[in-house]
Amino acid sequence: MFAAENGLKGDPRLQAISRAIRVVPDFPKPGIMFQDITTLLLDHKAFKDTVDIFVDRYRDMDVSVVAGVEARGFMFGPAIALAIGAKFVPLRKPRKLPGEVISESYVLEYGTDCLEMHVGAVEPGERVIVIDDLVATGGTLSAAIKLLERVGAEVVECACVIGLPEVKDRCGIKGKPLYILVEPRLLDECC
């Protein structure tokens, strides 16, 4: 569900967040309208508003873990975790974590990828939110959910700053609720 459909309709923070995201055409390949959140991170107020909206949503949900998807989930996850009194657990690409890991592979448009997490980072029964910057197909979030559920965690919700309009009609990823702040901007909306 988009934040505007869940009590934040007309909230000026959502428009400011959307405006702070730069659109880069034809990156990383022709036809892609890349949603660059690094410009959001440069805008102190928009970045704070992004974190605050997530914190307001999750503060009273008894969440004990915020799991951030590499790499842009790492930019929002720790701040949210600190504010709600949860621990932050990074979900990393292969061979980035030292020590024993548990992994989950998933299919991409042109190949496969994998997420890994330290064994013991999440305990059975812990309530988790998964954070990433953008959801397009849901493949990465689905892998994150599978990985966390394999260790006995309860995934409460997935949260993304940006969500493609196609996901608007879905009830969530793998049956889990999906909370999205803004839709992607088009090039003509930013120039």
Side-chain angles (χ1 to χ4, degrees):
M1 107 188 54
F2 282 84
E5 300 166 346
N6 190 44
L8 294 179
K9 185 173 183 147
D11 189 320
R13 297 177 300 174
L14 295 178
Q15 188 174 13
I17 291 165
S18 181
R19 279 194 316 264
I21 298 166
R22 175 175 50 183
V23 178
V24 181
D26 299 319
F27 182 82
K29 62 182 186 177
I32 301 292
M33 298 296 279
F34 187 78
Q35 306 291 306
D36 181 13
I37 60 148
T38 62
T39 51
L40 170 66
L41 302 174
L42 295 172
D43 183 331
H44 173 265
K45 181 160 178 19
F47 183 30
K48 182 179 183 321
D49 287 344
T50 301
V51 171
D52 287 349
I53 290 169
F54 286 127
V55 168
D56 289 345
R57 179 162 181 84
Y58 299 115
R59 178 180 287 123
D60 298 321
M61 287 191 175
D62 195 30
V63 170
S64 57
V65 177
V66 176
V69 176
E70 186 169 333
R72 291 176 292 273
F74 297 178
M75 296 175 189
F76 301 98
I80 296 165
L82 284 172
I84 66 172
K87 62 184 174 183
F88 176 75
V89 174
L91 304 180
R92 306 256 0 228
K93 299 293 182 176
R95 296 172 301 284
K96 301 279 185 167
L97 292 170
E100 189 178 357
V101 297
I102 181 172
S103 61
E104 185 67 42
S105 296
Y106 58 102
V107 177
L108 298 168
E109 189 175 354
Y110 298 105
T112 61
D113 210 342
C114 181
L115 288 177
E116 294 183 341
M117 172 178 73
H118 274 128
V119 170
V122 178
E123 299 296 324
E126 286 195 288
R127 291 173 52 84
V128 181
I129 58 167
V130 179
I131 181 90
D132 203 356
D133 69 324
L134 182 137
V135 58
T137 65
T140 305
L141 291 176
S142 291
I145 291 166
K146 286 181 191 174
L147 183 63
L148 291 158
E149 288 181 340
R150 282 180 40 212
V151 298
E154 177 190 348
V155 177
V156 175
E157 191 165 81
C158 295
C160 295
V161 178
I162 307 162
L164 297 184
E166 300 83 66
V167 300
K168 188 176 187 176
D169 297 327
R170 288 195 204 160
C171 63
I173 305 293
K174 288 194 56 56
K176 302 297 178 187
L178 177 61
Y179 187 70
I180 301 166
L181 296 190
V182 297
E183 290 186 21
R185 291 178 56 220
L186 303 175
L187 189 57
D188 61 359
E189 295 174 332
C190 66
C191 303

